[in-house]
Amino acid sequence: MTAKKRGIVNTYLMYLLLALVILFPATWVLFGSIKPTSELFAFPATFIPQAFTLENYVSVLQRTPMLLYLKNTVLVALLTVFGSLLLAAPGAYGFSRFDFRLKYPLLIAMLGLQLIPSTVNIIPYYVMFARLNLLNSLTGLTLIYISGRIPFSIWILKGFFDSLPESIIDAAKVDGCSPMRTFWTILLPLSLPGLGAAGFLSFLAAWGELLIPLTVASSRDVAVVSVGLYTFFGEGFTAYNQLFAATMMSVLPILVVFFFSQQSFIAGLTRGTGK
């Protein structure tokens, strides 16, 4: 076997190992969600269910406000996507097509903001929102998510705008289009893959965040799904089979969205890597 073939084999073996590391826990949760309680705690443990049941899902829907958690999460995630793209797209266009003072320091500063852990801002968020009467509200939670996703979205969309041919803008100028009209009517429709990629990442970040909503929006009426899953852990016994079922209900929407949009998502990310 040549060195090139050995490298290919080793690469695919590494991919297989990574897939097993990622898929094994997920598969365990999936199978655990359809096992009866007696089988879940049986010894020796079984990986594939011997008895199939949907009782765990029914119990979650009957005993917990899981549908409310999902509704709140979908609302917050969609508003985060809309708000972050609405503000990030014009900013990314400006960074891509105009030269101004401190342009690159500002880009580096925005990138540096993404390196700050969310835990650093927990206390300022809580104090600020308490004074604004926005604690335990979806509005306050959405504002935090939008402000946190704008810098990263600007970076993604700037790379995408950089990849668009300059001839498009030149043709628009010849036709008498202003820079803003060129952006809204020509460049923005051409940037749908980039918008989709940035929007999906914002949706994913808003969907999976735990610490911020647990601190500023932990009330039952406005709790999101991550906080709802956290409530399954309590003192004493934890109903792991119901926790597994709730976990599958929380990740299924993300998996469905990614399954149907993965091609445009990957295209949106790779399109902006080169000009």
Side-chain angles (χ1 to χ4, degrees), residues 59-264:
S59 298
V60 169
L61 293 176
Q62 290 179 344
R63 299 178 182 179
T64 68
M66 192 64 187
L67 292 180
L68 177 62
Y69 297 154
L70 289 171
K71 173 187 172 184
N72 292 338
T73 310
V74 170
L75 178 61
V76 170
L78 290 178
L79 289 176
T80 299
V81 171
F82 178 78
S84 60
L85 292 183
L86 183 65
L87 297 174
Y93 173 67
F95 278 110
S96 174
R97 298 299 176 179
F98 298 100
D99 291 322
F100 51 89
R101 190 178 181 184
L102 301 179
K103 171 181 176 179
Y104 293 103
L106 285 174
L107 284 171
I108 298 300
M110 286 192 299
L111 187 61
L113 290 175
Q114 301 300 297
L115 303 178
I116 301 176
S118 59
T119 53
V120 175
N121 299 319
I122 290 297
I123 295 178
Y125 282 150
Y126 186 88
V127 173
M128 179 175 62
F129 279 32
R131 293 178 178 177
L132 295 174
N133 293 322
L134 289 177
L135 285 179
N136 290 320
S137 69
L138 295 180
T139 301
L141 189 60
T142 303
L143 290 175
I144 293 177
Y145 287 166
I146 290 176
S147 62
R149 296 308 302 174
I150 287 176
F152 188 70
S153 298
I154 286 178
W155 266 93
I156 292 179
L157 294 175
K158 178 187 177 302
F160 198 89
F161 286 135
D162 289 343
S163 68
L164 296 177
E166 191 71 28
S167 58
I168 296 178
I169 299 179
D170 294 337
K173 290 180 180 178
V174 171
D175 291 337
C177 290
S178 64
M180 289 307 298
R181 184 180 178 185
T182 301
F183 167 71
W184 288 108
T185 62
I186 299 176
L187 296 182
L188 199 61
L190 293 176
S191 304
L192 289 180
L195 292 171
F200 180 80
L201 291 175
S202 297
F203 187 89
L204 189 64
W207 191 278
E209 178 65 43
L210 171 62
L211 189 58
I212 292 177
L214 187 62
T215 304
V216 303
S218 59
S219 174
R220 180 183 176 126
D221 293 335
V222 298
V224 294
V225 71
S226 57
V227 177
L229 292 177
Y230 180 77
T231 60
F232 278 84
F233 295 95
E235 297 182 359
F237 177 75
T238 299
Y240 286 101
N241 49 348
Q242 296 182 20
L243 174 61
F244 290 162
T247 301
M248 292 307 303
M249 293 171 64
S250 67
V251 302
L252 185 60
I254 292 291
L255 295 177
V256 171
V257 170
F258 180 74
F259 178 79
F260 288 103
S261 63
Q262 56 180 320
Q263 291 185 351
S264 59

Side-chain angles (χ1 to χ4, degrees), residues 27-43:
T27 307
W28 186 275
V29 171
L30 173 61
F31 286 162
S33 69
I34 57 177
K35 287 181 181 180
T37 305
S38 57
E39 184 179 348
L40 186 66
F41 294 99
F43 183 83

